[in-house]
Amino acid sequence: MKSVPMLSSAFLAPAGQSLPQPLLELRQQRGTALVDMPLPTRKTENWKYSSRYLQLTDAIAASLPVSDRIDTPLAKVPGYQVVIRNGVMVPSASTLPAVEGVTISRFADLSDEVASSLAERLDNTLDANAVQLARLNTARFEDGLYIRLAPEAVLDQPLFIIYETDASQSGSAYPRLYVEAGHHSQATIVEEFLSTGSEAALVNAVSEFTLADSAQITNVRLSADGESVQHIGATGARLQGHARFESHCVGFGGPLRRHDLQVRLEKPGAECLLNGAVVTQGRQHYDNHTTIEHIAPHCNSEENYRNIAAGQSHAIFRGRIHIHRDAQKSNGHMNNKNLLLSSGAEIDTKPELEIYADDVKCAHGATIGQLDEESLFYLVARGIPRREAQTLLTMAFINELIQQIPVAAVRDASLPRLNQFIDQTFEEA
Amino acid sequence: MLSIKNLHASVEGKQILNGLSLEIKAGEVHAIMGPNGSGKSTLSQVLAGNEAFEVTEGEVLMDGTNLLDKATEVRAQEGLFLAFQYPVEIPGVSNMQFLHTSVNALRKHRGEPELNAAEFIKLARETSKQVDLDPSFLKRGVNEGFSGGEKKRNEIMQALLLQPRLAILDETDSGLDIDALKVVSDGVNALRSADRAILMITHYQRLLNYIVPDFVHVLSEGKIIKSGGRELALELEERGYGWLGIKDDAETAS
């Protein structure tokens, strides 16, 4: 019998960076718990399509070096900006808001008292059984970003968090975000993942959001790491009464892209919108897993994910809505549409509804299709070159979701990138 | 301008066109009439370059060059325009984006500078007024949620915008009420010029009251069996297709 692969002990080396004592202790604790952690295999249900792309080698186990240097001047963003490089904040490249009630601190700067209270709450938005690897983030983070919105505080402009990974050498980075939104507070937080360099690297990113009554958080997540980077991400959100969490994910494929999104609607009136658009080509791989827990009655959830797979690539969507026994009058709506651009591409979709309450409205739909030949002919018959027409139609497929992103700068930046990416996929054809 | 010789074409293995020949000169307006299933729409699709149709014999020359060897987009760029019988709805692509891309593809082919967004919007607004379409339609998805009449007006609007050498109108009158028919006809008549040809494909002669053709041809079983002037259309209206020995299965076909 073949033995189960274990997490290499190289991943459990002690911290290099000084964190406040309570966070160091939490790291230590998580690290100890990960000794002998079995790694996901083909037989692990929620990793069955992705386990073989997960390469947790000793070379990748090393922490990527911390550096204040920014090689690539980042485009000026219209709003506030925090740059996180290899998992550690770069204050010199960051523009923080001076808005009443909004506190943004790096973990390294927290007092022991605040750090101690934070340490108790980290990981609480995520189901450890479903996202085992998120625990590796907690065992390894060198820094993190802690955002507190006081009750009724409103962040007037989007905050852009740019996570840049320098893969000019092999190693891993563990960016961490914790957002605590007080009641009636509002913020839009854009997370963008980028990388430079071409050595094998791992980004293991965890973002957590807690929303008190009537808080409103919009979270945009752009996943655009390079071809040598494996990206494993987890986002968790817990919502109190009448809170609203909006998530818009835009993902470009890579050797391994995995994102787990878990939302818990814990008090009546809470609602979420989860949108996701993914494009893959070549031999790329993208695996999205979402879970919405309807725990309290009278909560609403809406989810729309779309995948476009070209070449020999593989895109996966698994969406789960779990309506607990007491969650009467729940509204859940999940939709997953997929576009296959080549006969070699693969898309797997698995919508799951698990309903224990009897008075709920819950629906899901999933489709997989190809570009419509009739539409294509119509465009080409107007003189539009075939490749351009294919790109137009493919863009139309995800444009609907992109247009729902409530930050113009993100839409404006995403569309040409998606267009270029999609246009490339038709190059060979 | 267009010379069709002994054209044979099939779709899904079924032979539809059986030796169709037709000469169209610049400045002329031709009408092809015939019962359903006679091959009218097949002819328009073959000319436009729909790959679902296979040409098994014959040739088509446009301005002296072999049309059938050319890709669909090249035919359009060289001035062939097909007004579709059933214009497709394409949500997610705006009319604006579609038409702008199309106009610039043609301009690029002719070696003319492309129009920027402002120039294009000005042109598109003016043109849309010609067919009585509210310019706000530019922001909507291509034909998305359009009524039958709006779709046909959009087709003619595109013809006016693209100024083709040869415009083929496939059943442009179907589904139009009398007011819409007048608007569409005015649009088509505005296209008439000495260096342009128009080929109308229609089941009924009603449209020909508004767009008066120079020549009328009767298509049956994939061949033109009779040609004449506009009076032929009137005769067809009076006597039906039966006197030509054609079975008109129009009422039974969809």
Side-chain angles (χ1 to χ4, degrees):
Chain A
M1 221 173 82
K2 221 178 136 189
S3 64
V4 180
M6 301 282 187
L7 183 68
S8 163
S9 58
F11 275 90
L12 305 170
Q17 168 85 12
S18 58
L19 283 163
Q21 196 57 33
L23 291 173
L24 275 181
E25 280 167 17
L26 176 69
R27 256 189 66 142
Q28 195 73 47
Q29 199 185 319
R30 290 285 187 269
T32 310
L34 290 178
V35 173
D36 296 338
M37 179 181 85
L39 290 173
T41 67
R42 235 161 13 100
K43 289 179 181 155
T44 314
E45 175 58 22
N46 63 352
W47 270 87
K48 69 174 179 182
Y49 296 113
S50 300
S51 59
R52 66 192 162 116
Y53 300 102
L54 185 63
Q55 303 290 332
L56 299 181
T57 61
D58 285 4
I60 278 175
S63 286
L64 285 168
V66 173
S67 133
D68 267 8
R69 202 167 44 101
I70 295 292
D71 294 331
T72 45
L74 296 159
K76 186 83 189 109
V77 296
Y80 308 114
Q81 170 175 302
V82 172
V83 173
I84 310 275
R85 191 173 166 79
N86 292 347
V88 177
M89 181 176 163
V90 184
S92 61
S94 302
T95 314
L96 296 180
V99 175
E100 206 184 324
V102 179
T103 317
I104 300 181
S105 336
R106 49 191 297 197
F107 285 7
D109 291 343
L110 296 177
S111 69
D112 276 7
E113 192 192 340
V114 176
S116 163
S117 128
L118 179 63
E120 280 171 24
R121 285 172 293 149
L122 285 179
D123 290 336
N124 285 353
T125 67
L126 293 162
D127 173 2
N129 294 321
V131 287
Q132 307 90 332
L133 285 162
R135 290 295 170 95
L136 179 59
N137 175 288
T138 314
R140 291 292 301 273
F141 60 64
E142 299 282 349
D143 194 5
L145 206 60
Y146 179 30
I147 301 178
R148 270 183 299 173
L149 301 166
E152 296 178 13
V154 174
L155 190 59
D156 58 337
Q157 289 186 74
L159 170 69
F160 288 76
I161 305 174
I162 317 285
Y163 301 97
E164 204 195 52
T165 299
D166 175 6
S168 57
Q169 65 186 74
S170 253
S172 42
Y174 302 88
R176 185 66 176 238
L177 172 69
Y178 192 88
V179 177
E180 190 183 315
H183 69 80
H184 295 90
S185 64
Q186 291 177 25
T188 295
I189 294 170
V190 180
E191 298 180 272
E192 181 167 11
F193 294 90
L194 306 164
S195 71
T196 57
S198 55
E199 296 301 318
L202 168 74
V203 175
N204 179 332
V206 174
S207 303
E208 296 187 88
F209 298 85
T210 59
L211 287 73
D213 289 349
S214 299
Q216 292 188 30
I217 295 287
T218 296
N219 177 219
V220 181
R221 189 179 201 275
L222 301 171
S223 177
D225 284 307
E227 279 298 319
S228 69
V229 176
Q230 302 172 59
H231 184 114
I232 303 167
T235 301
R238 292 176 69 161
L239 283 70
Q240 300 303 302
H242 299 280
R244 178 175 168 85
F245 181 72
E246 253 188 50
S247 160
H248 299 268
C249 294
V250 179
F252 295 85
L256 171 63
R257 299 284 179 266
R258 169 62 182 252
H259 185 226
D260 283 89
L261 173 57
Q262 301 187 343
V263 178
R264 295 169 61 86
L265 307 172
E266 299 183 332
K267 288 282 153 59
E271 59 178 34
C272 68
L273 168 67
L274 311 182
N275 280 353
V278 162
V279 287
T280 57
Q281 63 184 23
R283 298 198 163 274
Q284 292 176 339
H285 187 85
Y286 211 113
D287 187 357
N288 268 311
H289 282 226
T290 68
T291 306
I292 301 168
E293 301 280 352
H294 277 262
I295 296 159
H298 295 282
C299 292
N300 297 317
S301 65
E302 189 189 333
E303 176 167 23
N304 306 292
Y305 266 70
R306 292 192 181 183
N307 294 310
I308 296 172
Q312 311 284 311
S313 66
H314 191 178
I316 297 127
F317 170 76
R318 184 183 183 201
R320 181 165 176 260
I321 299 180
H322 179 191
I323 302 198
H324 294 231
R325 206 182 51 196
D326 296 333
Q328 300 295 357
K329 305 283 182 193
S330 291
N331 270 313
H333 188 265
M334 173 173 26
N335 187 278
N336 171 230
K337 288 186 185 169
N338 300 284
L339 188 58
L340 274 173
L341 294 181
S342 81
S343 54
E346 182 177 340
I347 289 175
D348 288 281
T349 172
K350 190 179 180 194
E352 293 171 58
L353 302 182
E354 208 176 316
I355 302 175
Y356 296 101
D358 52 17
D359 185 12
V360 301
K361 279 188 191 143
C362 211
H364 70 80
T367 59
I368 299 182
Q370 292 162 308
L371 283 184
D372 179 39
E373 279 299 326
E374 220 187 319
S375 303
L376 202 52
F377 178 61
Y378 189 70
L379 298 179
V380 175
R382 292 292 177 260
I384 299 173
R386 192 173 171 86
R387 179 171 162 185
E388 208 175 331
Q390 287 170 322
T391 302
L392 264 176
L393 287 180
T394 310
M395 282 298 290
F397 181 77
I398 42 172
N399 198 16
E400 206 178 309
L401 294 185
I402 304 300
Q403 290 308 324
Q404 287 181 40
I405 299 174
V407 184
V410 173
R411 291 195 302 272
D412 295 348
S414 305
L415 286 172
R417 263 155 74 180
L418 287 165
N419 201 83
Q420 193 192 7
F421 187 96
I422 288 166
D423 189 51
Q424 270 171 24
T425 69
F426 294 112
E427 199 161 13
E428 302 298 310
Chain B
M1 172 183 295
L2 186 75
S3 171
I4 305 174
K5 287 176 191 148
N6 192 32
L7 186 63
H8 290 66
S10 64
V11 62
E12 288 165 359
K14 194 179 166 205
Q15 199 68 29
I16 309 282
L17 296 184
N18 296 298
L20 187 150
S21 297
L22 180 65
E23 291 286 332
I24 299 178
K25 295 193 175 65
E28 295 176 350
V29 176
H30 289 242
I32 291 189
M33 302 185 67
N36 283 350
S38 58
K40 298 192 303 290
S41 283
T42 298
L43 175 63
S44 69
Q45 295 286 316
V46 166
L47 293 177
N50 189 336
E51 286 168 9
F53 295 81
E54 194 192 349
V55 174
T56 50
E57 204 184 325
E59 67 169 6
V60 179
L61 301 177
M62 186 167 147
D63 292 325
T65 63
N66 186 344
L67 182 76
L68 301 177
D69 279 352
K70 291 172 185 167
T72 305
E73 62 262 42
V74 176
R75 299 181 196 191
Q77 289 162 2
E78 292 184 352
L80 186 143
F81 179 91
L82 170 64
F84 281 68
Q85 182 179 5
Y86 302 111
V88 187
E89 296 197 19
I90 312 178
V93 178
S94 70
N95 279 292
M96 165 85 182
Q97 194 183 11
F98 163 53
L99 298 174
H100 192 186
T101 310
S102 168
V103 164
N104 277 342
L106 267 62
R107 292 183 69 94
K108 198 173 161 190
H109 179 81
R110 294 194 295 255
E112 295 167 10
E114 297 188 7
L115 296 183
N116 65 30
E119 291 164 334
F120 173 76
I121 289 172
K122 188 165 177 283
L123 176 67
R125 281 173 175 273
E126 284 164 9
T127 313
S128 62
K129 278 184 207 144
Q130 252 183 292
V131 291
D132 218 10
L133 271 179
D134 189 311
S136 67
F137 92 101
L138 288 168
K139 290 183 190 152
R140 291 159 65 185
V142 174
N143 291 316
E144 192 182 2
F146 281 30
S147 69
E150 282 176 320
K151 283 181 184 169
K152 295 299 171 81
R153 279 185 278 162
N154 192 8
E155 294 296 291
I156 301 307
M157 137 99 187
Q158 291 170 36
L160 291 164
L161 205 53
L162 298 175
Q163 295 285 307
R165 295 263 296 136
L166 171 67
I168 304 167
L169 314 177
D170 190 359
E171 305 277 5
T172 293
D173 53 328
S174 67
L176 294 185
D177 63 26
I178 200 74
D179 293 332
L181 184 63
K182 266 191 68 73
V183 170
V184 162
S185 305
D186 288 347
V188 175
N189 284 324
L191 276 173
R192 294 182 86 142
S193 82
D195 56 4
R196 177 175 297 135
I198 296 173
L199 175 60
M200 289 185 284
I201 290 173
T202 179
H203 184 90
Y204 302 103
Q205 87 88 35
R206 181 177 73 147
L207 178 69
L208 309 185
N209 291 334
Y210 297 90
I211 309 164
V212 179
D214 302 307
F215 302 95
V216 175
H217 312 276
V218 179
L219 189 65
S220 170
E221 291 174 9
K223 267 193 214 169
I224 287 175
I225 58 158
K226 192 169 179 62
S227 297
R230 54 182 294 203
E231 68 286 349
L232 179 56
L234 296 170
E235 201 168 356
L236 281 171
E237 183 176 51
E238 223 165 87
R239 304 172 63 180
Y241 288 104
W243 65 283
L244 290 168
I246 302 171
K247 272 188 288 171
D248 184 0
D249 57 354
E251 313 321 317
T252 54
S254 59

